[in-house]
Amino acid sequence: MKKDHLHICLFEPEIPQNAGNIGRLCAATQCRLHLIKPLGFSTDDRNLLRAGLDYWPFLDLEIHENFEDFLALFSLDEIAFFSKRGQTSYHQMPKSVKALVFGKETSGFPESFHTKYGHQCYSIPIYHKGVRSL
């Protein structure tokens, strides 16, 4: 694992096109993409692959059976969770962060995450009133 690169983690992603787009971003920026099971799609889903274009050979991808397997790769101060319930702007994220974790598209993180990791939950402000979500 490349600890010096940024890591993007999708916790139980549900929408293949979203994961494909993020996979394309990770391939272009040489970030490792971590997917936490269960996935809402198959890794050979045509929508996932189409959104990732022809960049899949360049993607550094790791799929984890559960969140604990992912957590074992980092110290807690290296992880930032992104949530609409985050109380702190991502601008205030510590420089020690190496892994950005995003929750499910439809429901975010389970309540237990907010209880356990609430101090590590960040928000990305949406400034345009016509935009509902990221």
Side-chain angles (χ1 to χ4, degrees):
M1 177 176 74
K2 298 174 186 174
K3 290 282 272 192
D4 57 330
H5 286 106
L6 187 62
H7 297 257
I8 306 295
C9 177
L10 304 181
F11 176 79
E12 299 181 2
E14 301 168 307
I15 302 172
Q17 295 90 330
N18 289 351
N21 288 334
I22 293 169
R24 187 174 69 236
L25 171 79
C26 289
T29 58
Q30 293 188 332
C31 294
R32 175 173 267 188
L33 177 60
H34 300 263
L35 301 178
I36 309 295
K37 289 183 177 182
L39 308 179
F41 49 84
S42 164
T43 54
D44 61 355
D45 185 294
R46 66 186 175 106
N47 293 314
L48 172 77
L49 299 175
R50 182 179 304 129
L53 299 174
D54 57 349
Y55 302 156
W56 289 107
F58 308 114
L59 179 61
D60 184 6
L61 174 65
E62 188 168 348
I63 299 174
H64 303 276
E65 292 298 318
N66 53 57
F67 189 67
E68 291 72 26
D69 288 350
F70 171 78
L71 274 181
L73 300 175
F74 300 93
S75 63
L76 281 180
D77 67 325
E78 295 178 316
I79 300 173
F81 299 90
F82 285 85
S83 169
K84 68 179 181 181
R85 293 174 52 189
Q87 297 297 308
T88 307
S89 169
Y90 75 98
H91 295 289
Q92 296 174 305
M93 214 171 39
K95 298 211 183 300
S96 61
V97 169
K98 295 181 177 156
L100 311 178
V101 183
F102 297 87
K104 289 182 182 185
E105 293 98 326
T106 58
S107 59
F109 294 111
E111 186 59 39
S112 61
F113 273 58
H114 294 284
T115 301
K116 190 169 186 176
Y117 308 112
H119 63 289
Q120 291 172 253
C121 287
Y122 299 91
S123 65
I124 301 173
I126 299 174
Y127 298 110
H128 193 286
K129 301 271 187 251
V131 177
R132 294 187 321 270
S133 72
L134 298 171

